[in-house]
Amino acid sequence: MAETPPDLAGREIVVATENTYPPLQYIGNEGKPVGWEYDAVTEIAKRLNLSVKYENTSWDAMIPAISAGQYDVAMNGITIKEERLEAVDFSQPYMLSQMLMVVRGDENRFTDAATFAADPGLLMAAQPGTTPFYVGVYDVLDGDEKNPRIVKFETFGAGLAALQTGDVDLVLSDSTAAHGYVDASGGALKIIGEPLGSEEFGFIFPKGSDLVAPFDAAIRAMEADGTLEILNRKWFFETKEGG
């Protein structure tokens, strides 16, 4: 028989996010936060009988804040990494994504990671401490985290804006957000080269949180009954809004 997620009796939880990662979470055209993760958490809360309050926070503050117990859960397309498990607990994966290279639509100076790396005049935008930053350092460039060719930005959106204005030449993004931005750009952006590996996303919790097992049960149930696939179809194929 299928697993039945537990009833948490209307418990209120606070979920942190940044709202800068379409189609996972972003500010929609009506000025309200929307996205795959919002729909997923709404469904999880329904199945677990939870009341959810959302708080906005920056990426660089998110893991420390969860680790300190300031929020109950965070959702931000967060890659499950062994080193992060020292600070937070993860849910089971709810999505598999691949890292893609996003460039301006008229870019013709390079076509993949190797040709980007070969031209010392080309620059990449990245948020320190994120998967795109480390993939850029170790899979695209020379392994030097202080390489001046990586221009650091506080948010993914700021790096993307720098790409569009020509201040940098490349942004790395997981495939979910990459396709969302490219589809919404009207040809101003494109994806080049081959995927640079894959990553699994999970929700994060303070260490020892009693919410991990219930969230896992709900995710498994949503995978089994097709709900996750319905969300994928809605946000990756049917929704054209780009935030």
Side-chain angles (χ1 to χ4, degrees), residues 152-217:
K152 299 179 179 67
F153 292 89
E154 291 187 0
T155 67
F156 177 81
L160 191 70
L163 173 67
Q164 292 172 309
T165 57
D167 294 326
V168 298
D169 308 293
L170 170 67
V171 169
L172 297 181
S173 174
D174 65 85
S175 56
T176 56
H179 286 293
Y181 279 115
V182 169
D183 290 348
S185 74
L189 299 172
K190 66 181 179 181
I191 294 167
I192 64 168
E194 295 296 320
L196 299 172
S198 61
E199 57 187 1
E200 292 179 317
F201 294 155
F203 301 107
I204 60 171
F205 308 80
K207 294 293 292 184
S209 172
D210 63 352
L211 288 170
V212 177
F215 263 68
D216 284 352

Side-chain angles (χ1 to χ4, degrees), residues 70-135:
Q70 295 178 25
Y71 308 108
D72 299 298
V73 186
M75 60 180 200
N76 209 60
I78 304 171
T79 304
I80 299 173
K81 286 179 169 288
E82 190 71 28
E83 59 268 28
R84 290 176 179 166
L85 289 169
E86 298 176 4
V88 297
D89 283 342
F90 275 92
S91 70
Q92 72 169 62
Y94 59 78
M95 186 180 295
L96 175 69
S97 184
Q98 294 177 307
M99 194 62 55
L100 300 179
M101 301 176 67
V102 181
V103 300
R104 290 182 295 278
D106 60 355
E107 181 60 71
N108 57 18
R109 295 168 297 171
F110 62 99
T111 57
D112 56 18
T115 50
F116 174 86
D119 186 339
L122 299 174
L123 302 176
M124 174 191 310
Q127 287 175 274
T130 64
T131 297
F133 174 80
Y134 292 116
V135 170

Side-chain angles (χ1 to χ4, degrees), residues 9-10 15 18 26 50 57-58 65 70 75 104 114 121 130 132 137 141 151 157 162 183-184 210 218 221 239:
V15 178
E18 192 179 27
Y26 61 101
L50 290 169
T57 189
S58 66
Q70 295 178 25
M75 60 180 200
R104 290 182 295 278
T130 64
V137 169
L141 295 176
V151 183
D183 290 348
D210 63 352
T239 302

Side-chain angles (χ1 to χ4, degrees), residues 223-237:
E223 183 175 21
D225 66 18
T227 300
L228 295 185
E229 182 54 39
I230 290 171
L231 293 182
N232 289 342
R233 186 165 62 248
K234 172 184 177 181
W235 288 103
F236 300 135
F237 299 102

